[in-house]
Amino acid sequence: GIIRDGAIAIKDGNIALVGASEKLKRDVQAMQEIDAQGQVVMPGFVDPHNHLLFAGSRVDEFEMRVKGATYQEIQAMGGGIMSTVRATRSASDEDLLAQCRKRLDRMLAFGTTTSEVKTGYGLSVEQELRLWRLIAELDRTHPLDLIPTFLGAHVVPPEYAEQPAEYVTLVSEEMLPKLPRDGLAFCDVFCETNAFSVEQSRRILTKAKQLGFDLKIHADEFTRSGGAMLAAELGAISADHLIYTETDDWAALAQSGTVAVLLPGTIFGLALTPYAPARDMISAGVVVALGTDLNPGTSWCESMPLMLAIACRYMHLSPMEAISAATINAAHALGIGKQVGSLEVGKRGDLLILDTADYRDLAYQFGANPVAQVIKKGQAVFTA
């Protein structure tokens, strides 16, 4: 909904009052007042699917794709995810953190105030634990709130190419139990041809659930692999990508309450079709969220506003639906819908001030940054 000539009061980092400006000015003695007249004030974006913790570049692969190579062909030649794994393993902690902080700064400037961050470019016990530790370090030292997701099952590394079952055991029995946790944390699996089968994914996710992790899954990105059905079966909080899903998948996701996290930047980045069938999912009662899928191979983009612009054009969401998908629905895809994602009393004071008087410009205009100011827990952390 929209409050015309509205105002918000934030106290101790949380929203204390929301309502008409005239009434709040009578009721509140403000220590600091921000005048957003003629501008849109909205919740900060929540990015529910993000691979920002990586080193290196795959621009050479981008050029290969432009010339006609497919994602799968590049992976078969030793590129793809493993190219980033090699670069990430060889980068020092300091270099990796420095690269990530630049990406987080750009995310913040584009209005993201909370984000998931995955491991998955380590693919060994030592390296995955290292990436888990670095996510915690970034969360402590950057204004964005970061929620960790373990993705040791991103792809089978070359050293286990002939023994994929042994790698599944390594992920389930050695990596997962060693991950230190302090609060919310997820386990994800890339359930796809040339990655992990439904049975392998079930084994890893079942173990994670036993250990107290909430579940997410990369599902049905390149084929109808059965990942969406597995997400519903296990009660995953989200199933992500979902390009090749059908009526039965949507019904199962709606019944389980699993959020469909759709990633328009990935299809745009790969110059593919189709996009995920968002309208069909919504009609089936599925909760739809949007994320960037920030990663070096298919969607190097920190801009949530661009995701809205693509989703409205190619997934046929309305601007209001796209905003909901990138805020409150995305928050529920991370299990934090009661803390962030909407402008309600008691929620975190994470707000955006847009340089426009019409919220629809978020999707209508594209290429520039519409965010004039970012407020995080009541404090200005970015001003254009």
Side-chain angles (χ1 to χ4, degrees), residues 20 64 69 77 80 84 111 119 131 137 142 156 178 199-200 246 257 263 281 328 341 368 375 384:
M64 292 168 66
M77 290 185 288
T84 300
T119 69
L131 297 183
E137 175 67 15
H142 197 277
V156 177
K178 291 182 178 179
E199 287 308 314
Q200 290 169 332
E246 299 179 6
L263 305 165
M281 293 180 188
I328 185 62
I375 310 297

Side-chain angles (χ1 to χ4, degrees), residues 242-273:
L242 303 178
I243 310 300
Y244 293 96
T245 51
E246 299 179 6
T247 304
D248 290 348
D249 303 307
W250 310 329
L253 293 172
Q255 184 173 4
S256 68
T258 299
V259 179
V261 174
L262 309 184
L263 305 165
T266 309
I267 299 300
F268 179 82
L270 288 169
L272 295 176
T273 56

Side-chain angles (χ1 to χ4, degrees), residues 122-161:
L123 305 188
S124 70
V125 175
E126 178 185 2
Q127 288 289 333
E128 286 293 307
L129 286 170
R130 172 199 180 211
L131 297 183
W132 192 259
R133 172 175 54 80
L134 293 180
I135 292 172
E137 175 67 15
L138 289 168
D139 182 48
R140 284 193 298 269
T141 57
H142 197 277
L144 259 81
D145 286 320
L146 303 179
I147 297 173
T149 292
F150 169 67
L151 185 59
H154 201 178
V155 71
V156 177
E159 53 267 34
Y160 287 90

